Amino acid sequence: MTSASVWAAPLIELLGLAHPPVAITFGTQPAAPGDRSHPAQPAGCCFWEPAQRQSLDTQAAEHANCSVGSYTHGLIDMATAAAGADTVALVSSGWITAGDFDHVARLPFRPTSIRYEPLTVATSPDVVLVRLSPSSLMTLQGACPDLRLVTRPQCQIVPLASSGQIAVSPGCAVSRARTGLPPGEMTCALPAASMPALIDRLREAVAADQTVASYAAADRQRFPALD
């Protein structure tokens, strides 16, 4: 079996990524007690950026500060998520409605552990997470026009990708405040099982973009510049 680490370099090159891809793996066995070497975080999305540099094995308790994220990752049920003080605050603000939760994606199983790590060291992840610029999104959409742009909460891109759907989020106010995601970047989750085919499609899309961009740049020279 080919290690997933071989996907990292072409993803970075073809999408022009400014940050390393992250691998997410759902475990069926609890992480060993000694594996925890990181502080608790406000939400699961706060593990994404550090996982560009280090491997993090997490359990449900380490996601528990965000009821919505715990729900999307299959760690708690709807009733428990709705009763959370943080969820109550989100609903009372009008940011999300109780009815919206009926349409929020979630994992159909409860993982006993979730591992976040650089794609360069991953073997068999379930989801690959990347941070996109508008230009990166242009390339990805050209290769995969059926990708899904999701609304809040941002973290639902993970269960969507786990189910086989390429999912892009412009971010959500809650996650951006917690993670410091820059305004010019967005997140995207890719199904790991589709990566070889996706990379082939990206190569074709990039080659086509380069051809038409070269034509457009040359054609532009026929026209005077506007002051």
Side-chain angles (χ1 to χ4, degrees), residues 123-142:
T123 302
S124 301
D126 297 292
V127 172
V128 175
L129 191 74
V130 292
R131 291 166 61 177
L132 301 177
S133 65
S135 177
S136 302
L137 177 58
M138 176 195 72
T139 301
L140 180 61
Q141 189 175 43

Side-chain angles (χ1 to χ4, degrees), residues 17-225:
L17 300 180
H19 308 280
V22 167
I24 302 177
T25 306
F26 305 115
T28 57
Q29 298 296 322
D35 286 348
R36 180 172 176 175
S37 59
H38 46 82
Q41 296 297 308
C45 57
C46 294
F47 294 114
W48 297 353
E49 193 277 336
Q52 295 173 172
R53 302 177 297 278
Q54 60 182 306
S55 298
L56 303 167
D57 287 296
T58 68
Q59 299 180 16
E62 293 164 277
H63 292 249
N65 291 314
C66 179
S67 297
V68 173
S70 293
Y71 172 74
T72 61
H73 285 63
L75 301 172
I76 59 176
D77 60 22
M78 173 68 79
T80 305
D86 53 344
T87 303
V88 172
L90 296 179
V91 172
S92 64
S93 73
W95 187 79
I96 195 170
T97 69
D100 289 336
F101 282 102
D102 294 335
H103 307 289
V104 171
R106 73 186 297 262
L107 288 178
F109 60 92
R110 189 182 194 278
T112 54
S113 63
I114 302 177
R115 183 176 179 84
Y116 302 90
E117 62 188 335
L119 183 58
T120 51
V121 301
T123 302
S124 301
D126 297 292
V127 172
V128 175
L129 191 74
V130 292
R131 291 166 61 177
L132 301 177
S133 65
S135 177
S136 302
L137 177 58
M138 176 195 72
T139 301
L140 180 61
Q141 189 175 43
C144 306
D146 57 341
L147 63 79
R148 179 172 172 181
L149 181 65
V150 305
T151 184
R152 63 189 67 154
Q154 175 180 230
C155 55
Q156 66 178 312
I157 63 174
V158 173
L160 285 170
S162 177
S163 71
Q165 174 74 62
I166 296 174
V168 178
S169 171
C172 68
V174 174
S175 182
R176 284 188 179 276
R178 285 172 166 165
T179 65
L181 184 68
E185 294 181 357
M186 61 201 81
T187 56
C188 173
L190 308 167
S194 302
M195 288 304 304
L198 171 60
I199 290 172
D200 286 342
R201 292 165 71 179
L202 284 172
R203 289 195 174 102
E204 294 174 359
V206 168
D209 277 352
Q210 290 174 340
T211 297
V212 298
S214 178
Y215 162 78
D219 186 62
R220 178 69 182 87
Q221 301 306 310
R222 299 189 300 113
F223 301 89

